[in-house]
Structure formats: C-alpha cells, structure tokens
Amino acid sequence: MTDAQTPILEIENLSISFFTRSREIPAVMDFSCKVMPGEAMGLVGESGCGKSTVALGVMRDLGRNGRITGGSIRFKGRDITTMGERELRGLRGREIAMIYQEPMASLNPAMKVGAQLAEVPLIHEKIGKAEAWARARAIIEDVRLPDPDRILQAWPHQLSGGQQQRIVIAMALMSRPSLLILDEPTTALDVTVEAGIVDLVRDLAEKHGTSMLFISHNLGLVMDVCDRLCVMYSGEAVETGDVVEVFSEMRHPYTQALFRSIPLPGADKSARPLVAIPGNFPLPHERPPGCNFGPRCDYFVAGRCDAQEIPMLPAGGAPRHNSRCIRVDEIDWDAPPALAATAEPVPPGEVVIEASDLRKYYETAPGMFGGGTAKIVKANEQIDFSARAGETLAIVGESGCGKSTLAKVLMGLEVASAGTVTLNGDQIQQLPVEKRGPALISSLQMVFQNPFDTLNPSMSIGAQIIRALEIFQIGSSAADRHDRMLKLLDLVKLPREFATRKPRQLSGGQKQRVGIARAFAGEAKVVVADEPVSALDVSVQAAVTDLLMEIQRKNRTTLLFISHDLGIVRYLSDRVLVMYLGHVVEIGTTAEVFSPPFHPYTEALLSAVPVADPRVTRKRIVLQGDIPSAMNPPPGCPFQTRCRWKPLVPGNLCETVVPELRPIAGGHRVKCHLTDAQLATMEPVIEVAAE
Amino acid sequence: MLNFLLRRILTMVATALVLTFVVFWLTNLPPNLEKLAKSEGNARMTDAEVTSWLDRNGHAQPLLKRYGEWLGVAPGWTDERDGVTSGRCIARGTLPEDNPAFCGVLQGYWGQSTVFKAPVSEIIATRLGLTGILMFWVMVLMVPSALLIGILAGMREGSRLDRVLSTASITTTATPEYVSGVILIVVFSSSMVGLKWFKGTATSAMDGITFENFFLPVLTIALYGMGYIARMTRASMSEVMTAQYIRTARLKGASFGRVVVRHALRNALIAPFTVIMLQFPWLLNGVVIVETLFNFKGFGWTLVQAAGNNDIQLLLGCSVVAVVVVLVTQAMSDVGYVLLNPRIRVS
C-alpha cells in the first residue's frame, strides 16, 4: 500500500481537447488537482464546464475525438497519459472504478446482474466462476440490497432506479479499487433514494479506505460527501480548497455568484431574492481572453482581467486553498451582495382554482382474449386544495407520487375519475382539452419541464408565440398579433431580434423564457409550471425563477409550481402541498410545512435534501426501501411501509386505515395517525446557526 | 405465453383469410375466367358459349360463394344437366353420393393445374421441396456472413474496415438479382471470361446438388439479402457500441474483444433478427427471378409458369404458400425477439 504522503491521484496542468473536422475545441485547460488516500474530492460546476471530461481523461476514455494535449495524470505515481492499452485495462475496474449518472443505461440490458458483477473479478483476477459469483453475492449484501440470490438472477430492468444504482456501485467496488470516480451518481434518482445512496457510498469508501473523485452540480451534495472540492468554470478550475473552507470563505467571484443564485434556507423571494448570474456560459470556442468568467463578473476590471491568462493563486489563509482570480486579494469578499430589487409580497386574492376530492384512476388493460384481470392504478386519491389569485402553491413529491397526473387532470389532458376541479366557479374536471374553448385554454396554461422538447424545431420563436395567440383568439389582425408577440418577448426579457430565430439558436434558459411567454400569451389566470427549471443550469435557474415570479406579481396569476426541489419551493412558494403515492399527505403555508410538526414523509423529505451551507445542521433520516408501486399500494396509510414513527401508533391502525387529512392549526393539514401530542414532539430538521 | 401464442395464431388466420381472398378475387376476375373458358373449352367460343361454360363449371356463382367453395367451407357446386350430375367435388364418372359435399383447401383439395395437368398439391409439394433446398443454402451462406460483416463494420464506426465493408454491402444490395445473376454467369461460367468455375444452369441440381451446379444461384440470392442484413446489423451494432453500458464494460477493464462478444453482440442482434425473418418472404421474390434465370424448376419457376398460363388453381395454391411463409416467419420473428430481448416479456 502507498504511504499517506503519496497522492492516489495527481493531475498536473491537464489539458484535454476534442478535435472536430474544422477545429480543436479545448474542453479542459490547465487543470490540476490532487487526491490523497482516503480523501473525497468534489468536482463542481455547471454542465459543459469540463468536469466529466476530467473524469474520462483519468480513465483515458475520451473517445476517438478527444485527446490529452498537455499535462500529466499520475495514479499512485504512474503516469496514465503514457500508458499502453494493456496497462490501462489492468487499471480500469481494478484500481480505478467509475459510477455513472444513469444506472439503467449503464447496465447491460441483456445480461443478468450477477454475470455483470462477476465479470469484474473474472477479468482482473485469476479466480473461478463459482468464486466470482460468490463474491458478487457478498457485495450485493454489502450494498444493502435485500434477497441477494434473487437479485443475482435478475435482469437490470427488473430493479428500481435506486437498486440499479446500488448494483452499479457494487460493480465498481467488486475489485476493491483505490480510486472511485462518481459522475453525478444520484442526479437521476429521487431525493429520499439519493440520501440512501450517498450514505452507502460514504460508508463503503470509509470502510475500504477508497479515495473518491465526486462529480456533481449539486453543491449541497458535495458538502455532504467530500473533504475537498474544486469548482470548475468553462474548462478551468477556478477555486479549490477544503470544502468547509471554500463554502464559508469563497475566494472566486464565480463560486460566490453560484452560491448567491441557489436558494439556501433564509432566502426569501420578497425580502432576500436570489441574485442571478448575468449572461450565459461561454461556448468552448467563444471563450473570452483572460478570465473566462470576466464578462459575467461583477468585479471585472478591463485591462487587467482580460489582459493575460490568469494563474491559480493562493487564496484565504488556509493551505491548499487556491483561486483563479487576479484580484483575489483586493476584493472585499464579505461585502453583502448588492440587494436586487426587492418587492412587496403580494396579498393573495380570492380563490381561483379549487380541487375537491379529486381522483384519477387508470385501468391497465387486460389481455385481448380476457387473460389476466384489469388492475387499477390509483394515481390521484382524494386531492383537496385551493389556490388564490397571485398565490404560489407548490406541489412537492418524488417521482410516481401523482403530481404530473394532477397537472394533466387540471390541464384537461386527462379527465378526472371522481371529484371536482373548479376554475373561477366553473367545473372543468370532465372537460378534455379539445372541448375547452379558447378563453378557458388561455386562462389555464402550462410551462413544461423540458424546454428542449416543447418548442417546434422548425418554426421561428416569433411564429410559435403568434400561433399561441391565434389559438387563444387574441388580437384582431396579423399585425396586432405580431405587435403583441414583440411585447411578450419584452415581458420575458428576450431581445426582439429573437422573433426570427429558430429554437436551436437559443440556450436552455432562453428556450424556457419562450415557453413562459407562450404560457402567458393569453394572460393566463392559472399557470401550472411542471418542474420549469429543473432541466436548467444552476446559474440560469435563478433568472428564470425570478422572471416567472415577476410576471406572476404583475398579472396576479395563480402559480401551481410542481417540483421535487425543496430548496426552490421554500424560496418561492406561499403554500406547499406534499404528495406521496397519489395522496396529499400535508398541506399548509410554506412556514408551516417546513417546520415541525411534520408529516413523517415531509420530515424525511426535508432531511434528505442536501444544503450547501456549512452553518446549517441537518438531521439525517434515511428512508428504507423504495417508493411502493402505485399499481400495488400498501393497505392503510400509503407511507406506512417506510415510516419511522409507525411504532408510536397503537395497534395496526397504520396498516389498515387510511388516516384523515386533519387540520393541525389554521390551514395546516396533515394526513397522519399520530396524535397532536406526538406530532408536537417533532424537532426541526434544519437548523441555521446564528451568524 | 400461451395466451400470446393463441392471439398470435388467431390474427394470423384472419390475415391469411383476407390475403387469400384478395388473391382469389384478382385471379378470378371476369377476363381471366373468359381466358380459362377459352383455353379449357375451345379458343373460338362465342360469348354466349363462354357464359354457358362458366355457368356449367360453377364460375357464375357469387364471388363469396366461390371463395367459400375453394376454401372448403361452402359445399361444392353441383350442376344437373341431361341426367348427369357434375360438380366441383364430383370426380368425373363417379356418382354424387360417393363424393364429399365439401372439397377445398381445408380438405386438402387444391384443384387441378391446367398447365401441368396434375393436382396442384402435388406440384407445389415437389417444387417447394426443391426451393426449400435452395433457400436453406442461401440462408446458410447469407445469414452468418451478413452478421459477421455487419458486426465487423459496426464495432468501429468510421474505420477503414467499416468503410470498405459498408461500400461492399451497399453495392450488393443495390444490385438486383437479374443483374448480379447475369454478371456472375458471365464471369464464372461463360467462355467470355473463361473462368468456367461453375455451371451457368442449375437444372442438374434438381437431381443431385454439387458445389459446381448450385453455388451461383445460391450466391446470387444471398448477395442481395446479405448487403441489406449487413447494413442493418452495422447500424444496430454501431448504435450499441456508443451505449453507456458498453462504456461501463470498457471501464471495467474488459478487452475490446470481450466488450464486443459479451456485451454488444446480443444487444446488437435484436434489431437485425426481425430483418432476417423479413428476408424469408423476400427470398421467395428473388427465387422467382433466379430460378428462371438458372432454370431450376422450383417454386418460383412454377409461379412464373402459372402466372404466364393463367393457371388459376396453381396461382392460388402458390399464393397460399406465400402467405403462410410470410405469416409464420413473422410469428417466429416476434417470438425470437421476445427470447433475445429480456425487457420484452409477454404478459
């Protein structure tokens, strides 16, 4: 074994480029970092910043177009950049293993789980098949999967997302590697599942003394897992240092701006709004001279920041804390951010949309000749809520909880099975969207999750907005509609020239603005926003969120904000509705939902969200198992299979009776069998230390 | 699974009925029947005689009734004239009571060929046997080489090997059998080039197959399908090679050969499998040309003879065979797809 002073991985001045027919595109430039034995190094940055390229560079798996153009990668003292194919193969999987973002795509669909696991030692160690399978079985137990014998014989598609990721982790650990590279290992998973995976990775790495290179865009997660971190921007490392050190004493404008644009506990849409980073991420071949972040930086000084290449400079007081900012010693890093325009909170008006005892059941079709029985999927059960004019109601829950079904029923893409939806006094639950008039359609609109797929790629932006105006029957003539379209572009802060552009010429954030313009084209009364920013980069999210709220304030629109991101929900919503397996388990104002007493599920959900703030202490409650299938929900309380408070409820009440959604205080309602006294004993999950 | 198979078979039967009905309708159009009357009776018949001949021989009945008779679900027509009862099911010179009421495809009575003067079922059985041998060797040659070419080309997309193999595949699949067949004959069996390695006719192969008399027809059919299957396999393979699980395998430390054989192969074969099964009906098509070209008297040659001579019963028989071949291969392809792809399970 190496002694503690030799780094496991030492990257020095690494440069990686991709070569296309016309030009060389530098993806990583002058990147250095060091990972010591047993250390976890976080690599943070937005998409396209080169963090995954670094990881693949370490694996020397850059494809045919990628090439290492400079610098060295030393693994336990051996230079990887000059290794031959044979030597590399011996390293991959044995010494360095990788865990990927999408577990389903990373597992071979046509190979049994056991065979995929056993393959690793079969390749690297001279052992027999039986022994390799025995090792595979042992490691499945190690990653805390139930019933290892069944899992060995299972196909990947028979496992849930969380289980698949555990298999990928198991595969990486099969040969006890000394370095583990994790490329966004939990991005595709739900937060409560993510918490379990993160715990597992940390425990196993500690147990085997494995070093980790942890790649993520989620700052909170990096703080949970890593000892040190390296912030990347546009192919360069801009700040590196100890995690707590960097998080509490940022010494690069980009790091600081990134933190100011994510909603941490304490941010508030009216009093302390988020500060969005202006401008866009530069494309690799359009990088500015000098500091890459220069054009978006508040501290930019022309003639200095853009005059030369900026080297990494020591920053702060701590050793190994460096920043790629030429003005690192001049900037007053503790100065509070220039307060963005704050706004008065909007008092909510009259009730605009209301759902009462709304249910949506799907029936799975039986076989054509009567084989099998029809199963009923209860996607929505007893949904009760109301939202007022100018109010933001967040609908929160993990995948499969029924929040998207609810949106579909509201929009008329599905009709309700029972119950009512009332919009401005009219019942609309049985009106499919094709039977809704233009007035109803334009007053109830939706902003979709993925801006990349919702715009027609062959129509110009202007034409698409005008099309929406035509459908809503707004505007008297073509000229009038054109005029309104330009005003809508102004509204969403896009330059008017964009009217003639095609969607592919726009960035993700800009596309989402077009989506918002389209939704508000008919002065919508209610806008359902289904994860409107989750596909966008962190620095763009704040700007789009702000825009959405600004328009809402102006039009007094009711916003139904569907999200799994509790940070952003806490920041922008007035009231929160928590869903689990089709049930509303808790509803109340944001303050009520985010502080005790909680529904046990809300408590676990809150504790699972990593917070990127060293001052915040968080209670860890890791839920066991996966979300049950809506096809086969547990009897009684939907959450009883994973609830840690269940022992406190006498008898088998939880297993047999669905609890009432009962009022706790004011409008705060919780669907739980726990008594008020028991609920009162709950402690807050998140505590912010005094500044 | 049983339910799935049952459903599959029912839809197949329904499709077969529809298809045979269409063929029946087309082959029994009035001009064809008139031609039949004239060739069976005498060529100088008047229109009135034609009508009466058709009437006497059951061709004047409604189309559905005739189709039902041919299929064997409606009783055969009978016609009593001058005290003699003739009918569809009544063999000449026998009494009506000695014959069954139904005689159609379902009863095994496929009719009498007017060209070969023999029962259709007999002709088809011998001819199909000969074609079966041809098809078998075509498959033996075509499928493994096509898959091999596809996989070799697709495993390293854009490499020189890929470009060479892809160009070759496109060339062979863009060349119809009547062109490639002629070229092959000219090059390998004519005195023009002088190679004379193989025989330009496969007539002697009907008695005994040798490499010399059988290779050219087999190659002609195989070349065409080979390019097509190879292109499909290549596309599927190159897509699989960019999949994330291939990267996973590579970064496990598996060698390139192992990645290709253990991880890529099975996934890459799922798509071309359907294409290969689709090739069977295509082969029937190629067989028509190649058998005529090489004078190999199999199914395709028979089809040409039947169509050229307005042999309605034989044409119908051939179409039944073709329909059955298409449907059975499609069913096999569905079942095979399920077996190859663990994500698709029949419920």
Side-chain angles (χ1 to χ4, degrees):
Chain A
M1 278 274 114
T2 43
D3 66 290
Q5 294 316 306
T6 332
I8 289 284
L9 183 71
E10 195 176 12
I11 302 177
E12 262 174 30
N13 312 102
L14 179 70
S15 295
I16 297 173
S17 290
F18 288 97
F19 293 86
T20 64
R21 228 167 263 199
S22 51
R23 58 164 100 82
E24 172 186 352
I25 297 171
V28 174
M29 291 160 301
D30 189 26
F31 178 88
S32 304
C33 87
K34 210 185 271 184
V35 184
M36 303 303 281
E39 199 176 57
M41 175 83 174
L43 221 49
V44 178
E46 298 173 80
S47 59
C49 72
K51 53 193 196 301
S52 295
T53 311
V54 170
L56 291 175
V58 172
M59 283 296 214
R60 277 276 305 278
D61 191 63
L62 292 164
R64 230 172 323 132
N65 302 325
R67 213 174 307 150
I68 294 173
T69 48
S72 67
I73 305 170
R74 270 197 299 281
F75 175 77
K76 289 184 175 170
R78 295 190 287 161
D79 193 345
I80 293 180
T81 54
T82 56
M83 269 185 196
E85 194 58 35
R86 242 190 116 75
E87 214 176 341
L88 271 175
R89 276 212 305 273
L91 219 60
R92 292 173 179 164
R94 174 110 181 84
E95 296 272 15
I96 310 176
M98 194 154 172
I99 294 169
Y100 317 87
Q101 179 165 0
E102 280 172 49
M104 180 68 209
S106 313
L107 292 172
N108 189 336
M111 228 169 138
K112 285 189 176 165
V113 166
Q116 300 194 46
L117 286 173
E119 194 184 11
V120 181
L122 283 176
I123 292 172
H124 292 290
E125 295 159 53
K126 288 193 172 54
I127 60 171
K129 209 173 161 186
E131 200 188 333
W133 277 74
R135 282 260 293 275
R137 192 187 182 284
I139 205 115
I140 289 178
E141 282 179 336
D142 258 12
V143 293
R144 298 174 210 153
L145 279 172
D147 201 357
D149 291 310
R150 183 184 65 85
I151 292 202
L152 276 179
Q153 294 301 327
W155 300 101
H157 69 273
Q158 294 168 327
L159 308 177
S160 71
Q163 289 175 328
Q164 286 168 357
Q165 192 58 297
R166 279 167 199 263
I167 294 297
V168 175
I169 292 172
M171 202 154 72
L173 295 173
M174 272 307 274
S175 275
R176 301 271 143 82
S178 11
L179 177 67
L180 203 53
I181 301 177
L182 302 100
D183 189 358
E184 307 258 12
T186 56
T187 308
L189 305 175
D190 275 318
V191 269
T192 57
V193 180
E194 172 184 86
I197 296 280
V198 166
D199 265 15
L200 175 76
V201 166
R202 230 177 7 199
D203 290 355
L204 289 176
E206 209 160 293
K207 185 169 144 198
H208 303 307
T210 316
S211 306
M212 287 196 282
L213 193 59
F214 191 92
I215 298 169
S216 183
H217 69 279
N218 186 334
L219 295 166
L221 201 58
V222 168
M223 202 182 100
D224 268 4
V225 177
C226 302
D227 310 307
R228 291 173 48 73
L229 103 162
C230 173
V231 182
M232 289 188 74
Y233 181 79
S234 193
E236 289 178 330
V238 291
E239 184 166 2
T240 118
D242 182 81
V243 166
V244 178
E245 169 91 14
V246 172
F247 277 42
S248 45
E249 286 179 46
M250 293 154 223
R251 287 294 176 266
H252 192 278
Y254 173 65
T255 322
Q256 196 184 42
L258 204 58
F259 271 83
R260 286 180 179 167
S261 65
I262 57 171
L264 293 172
D268 180 271
K269 64 173 166 178
S270 301
R272 270 182 67 187
L274 299 180
V275 188
I277 305 178
N280 281 310
F281 205 79
L283 292 173
H285 52 276
E286 290 170 355
R287 291 195 179 107
C291 177
N292 281 340
F293 188 58
R296 303 173 75 188
C297 182
D298 291 339
Y299 305 106
F300 181 74
V301 176
R304 282 187 66 200
C305 293
D306 55 4
Q308 77 251 305
E309 290 299 312
I310 317 286
M312 277 302 240
L313 300 167
R320 294 174 72 193
H321 185 179
N322 298 306
S323 166
R324 196 182 288 274
C325 179
I326 200 156
R327 302 187 60 208
V328 63
D329 294 326
E330 304 163 23
I331 297 171
D332 176 12
W333 295 101
D334 296 325
L339 219 51
T342 57
E344 283 296 306
V346 183
E350 70 291 356
V351 170
V352 175
I353 189 164
E354 192 170 10
S356 162
D357 198 27
L358 184 68
R359 290 158 200 255
K360 176 68 196 171
Y361 296 168
Y362 291 99
E363 205 168 295
T364 56
M368 194 169 111
F369 289 95
T373 46
K375 276 186 178 161
I376 288 175
V377 180
K378 298 179 175 177
N380 282 164
E381 272 273 66
Q382 297 172 318
I383 308 278
D384 280 290
F385 70 86
S386 61
R388 295 168 180 278
E391 189 181 49
T392 306
L393 174 69
I395 299 169
V396 177
E398 296 174 272
S399 55
C401 74
K403 52 190 198 300
S404 295
T405 306
L406 178 59
K408 282 184 192 158
V409 172
L410 295 179
M411 298 306 299
L413 298 170
E414 302 275 358
V415 293
S417 306
T420 58
V421 178
T422 318
L423 178 76
N424 285 330
D426 302 325
Q427 295 209 349
I428 56 167
Q429 72 277 1
Q430 294 300 335
L431 270 185
V433 71
E434 55 269 24
K435 287 195 189 145
R436 295 183 174 186
L440 180 54
I441 288 183
S442 62
S443 65
L444 183 58
Q445 273 296 306
M446 189 154 176
V447 177
F448 297 93
Q449 174 167 14
N450 197 334
F452 304 92
D453 297 340
T454 46
L455 296 180
N456 185 338
S458 57
M459 254 167 107
S460 72
I461 300 302
Q464 300 198 42
I465 297 177
I466 290 175
R467 183 86 193 106
L469 289 169
E470 282 167 9
I471 292 169
F472 300 160
Q473 297 180 1
I474 289 171
S476 46
S477 61
D480 182 30
R481 289 197 186 108
H482 188 79
D483 206 44
R484 280 169 191 268
M485 179 269 290
L486 292 178
K487 289 207 178 93
L488 279 167
L489 286 180
D490 295 344
L491 180 73
V492 294
K493 294 176 183 157
L494 285 177
R496 288 187 166 198
E497 303 89 85
F498 275 35
T500 53
R501 298 218 181 146
K502 292 280 167 64
R504 62 168 185 278
Q505 293 166 291
L506 271 61
S507 72
Q510 289 165 339
K511 281 184 201 163
Q512 195 57 297
R513 282 167 194 263
V514 177
I516 292 172
R518 217 159 44 164
F520 281 92
E523 316 235 302
K525 294 281 169 297
V526 178
V527 168
V528 178
D530 188 359
E531 309 254 10
V533 294
S534 63
L536 305 177
D537 266 323
V538 186
S539 69
V540 187
Q541 278 186 6
V544 174
T545 315
D546 276 350
L547 173 77
L548 206 55
M549 285 186 305
E550 197 185 311
I551 301 176
Q552 180 198 18
R553 259 197 300 272
K554 214 183 290 174
N555 297 7
R556 289 184 58 77
T557 317
T558 306
L559 193 61
L560 297 181
F561 190 87
I562 299 176
S563 181
H564 69 277
D565 181 348
L566 289 172
I568 207 137
V569 163
R570 179 209 298 262
Y571 169 69
L572 65 74
S573 58
D574 303 308
R575 292 199 304 133
V576 180
L577 182 158
V578 184
M579 287 186 74
Y580 185 79
L581 268 186
H583 289 261
V584 176
V585 294
E586 184 168 0
I587 184 168
T589 64
T590 308
E592 283 165 349
V593 170
F594 278 78
S595 56
F598 304 108
H599 184 277
Y601 173 63
T602 316
E603 184 192 30
L605 198 60
L606 282 174
S607 87
V609 182
V611 179
D613 190 339
R615 290 167 305 157
V616 169
T617 47
R618 182 160 56 99
K619 205 159 69 181
R620 301 273 301 170
I621 302 159
V622 175
L623 291 181
Q624 296 306 311
D626 290 310
I627 302 174
S629 152
M631 199 108 94
N632 188 16
C637 172
F639 189 57
Q640 52 114 339
T641 52
R642 300 166 83 196
C643 182
R644 67 178 193 127
W645 293 84
K646 196 171 129 187
L648 292 184
V649 178
N652 56 359
L653 202 55
C654 291
E655 283 128 16
T656 48
V657 181
V658 181
E660 287 287 307
L661 188 61
R662 64 190 172 91
I664 302 290
H668 187 202
R669 288 181 291 164
V670 171
K671 191 177 252 183
C672 187
H673 284 305
L674 291 172
T675 61
D676 286 350
Q678 284 165 333
L679 285 173
T681 61
M682 285 189 173
E683 292 161 358
V685 174
I686 292 173
E687 275 174 295
V688 184
E691 283 183 45
Chain B
M1 188 73 190
L2 209 69
N3 199 356
F4 166 78
L5 280 178
L6 197 74
R7 248 186 357 229
R8 215 37 252 202
I9 289 167
L10 278 178
T11 32
M12 268 168 61
V13 169
T15 321
L17 283 179
V18 172
L19 286 176
T20 49
F21 179 73
V22 170
V23 178
F24 187 88
W25 172 60
L26 287 173
T27 48
N28 281 280
L29 284 173
N32 285 353
L33 292 178
E34 190 188 325
K35 231 193 280 173
L36 178 76
K38 285 184 176 168
S39 61
E40 292 296 291
N42 88 62
R44 291 190 194 80
M45 270 179 172
T46 62
D47 285 356
E49 282 168 330
V50 167
T51 317
S52 103
W53 187 90
L54 290 178
D55 191 38
R56 248 189 350 243
N57 288 287
H59 294 296
Q61 305 171 86
L63 181 68
L64 266 177
K65 170 81 168 63
R66 278 183 281 149
Y67 177 67
E69 284 174 8
W70 172 79
L71 199 63
V73 293
W77 55 268
T78 49
D79 186 72
E80 207 175 319
R81 225 168 273 233
D82 314 329
V84 180
T85 309
S86 63
R88 177 183 167 86
C89 306
I90 302 166
R92 197 162 292 184
T94 57
L95 288 171
E97 300 83 64
D98 298 341
N99 289 292
F102 294 87
C103 57
V105 173
L106 292 178
Q107 283 80 25
Y109 178 80
W110 292 51
Q112 186 83 8
S113 161
T114 52
V115 182
F116 297 101
K117 309 288 179 212
V120 169
S121 44
E122 247 170 57
I123 300 169
I124 288 187
T126 31
R127 299 304 169 196
L128 208 54
L130 287 171
T131 298
I133 297 168
L134 179 62
M135 294 252 249
F136 172 77
W137 288 110
V138 168
M139 282 290 164
V140 166
L141 177 69
M142 179 177 77
V143 173
S145 28
L147 291 182
L148 191 69
I149 291 172
I151 284 161
L152 288 177
M155 68 186 190
R156 283 203 178 95
E157 202 185 354
S159 64
R160 182 168 303 163
L161 182 69
D162 175 24
R163 286 205 293 268
V164 169
L165 291 176
S166 292
T167 313
S169 319
I170 292 170
T171 313
T172 65
T173 203
T175 316
E177 287 97 342
Y178 51 84
V179 175
S180 54
V182 170
I183 293 176
L184 287 174
I185 291 175
V186 167
V187 172
F188 292 113
S189 58
S190 76
S191 43
M192 200 178 116
V193 177
L195 283 177
K196 290 198 170 179
W197 291 351
F198 306 107
K199 281 190 182 161
T201 155
T203 318
S204 56
M206 285 184 284
D207 303 321
I209 291 169
T210 62
F211 187 64
E212 192 190 19
N213 63 23
F214 213 48
F215 183 69
L216 280 190
V218 167
L219 185 68
T220 311
I221 303 177
L223 271 182
Y224 179 71
M226 204 191 290
Y228 190 64
I229 299 178
R231 290 294 294 164
M232 288 293 166
T233 315
R234 176 193 172 273
S236 165
M237 184 72 185
S238 59
E239 192 191 313
V240 164
M241 286 307 283
T242 59
Q244 285 199 27
Y245 56 83
I246 295 299
R247 185 182 68 182
T248 308
R250 212 165 48 226
L251 297 189
K252 264 180 194 175
S255 61
F256 186 74
R258 192 182 173 95
V259 168
V260 169
V261 175
R262 297 265 301 162
H263 291 269
L265 216 53
R266 179 165 170 185
N267 288 297
L269 288 185
I270 293 173
F273 183 77
T274 324
V275 180
I276 294 170
M277 284 326 227
L278 271 172
Q279 281 297 312
F280 275 100
W282 262 109
L283 282 182
L284 278 183
N285 181 10
V287 145
V288 172
I289 291 159
V290 170
E291 285 183 359
T292 311
L293 188 66
F294 288 93
N295 197 27
F296 183 75
K297 291 173 181 157
F299 181 75
W301 180 84
T302 312
L303 189 63
V304 173
Q305 296 301 317
N309 297 300
N310 194 35
D311 191 342
I312 295 178
Q313 298 298 332
L314 188 56
L315 261 181
L316 278 170
C318 289
S319 73
V320 170
V321 170
V323 165
V324 168
V325 168
V326 171
L327 293 178
V328 167
T329 49
Q330 285 322 289
M332 277 165 63
S333 110
D334 283 358
V335 172
Y337 197 79
V338 169
L339 292 179
L340 270 175
N341 191 346
R343 271 168 298 185
I344 295 179
R345 280 283 172 261
V346 214
S347 49

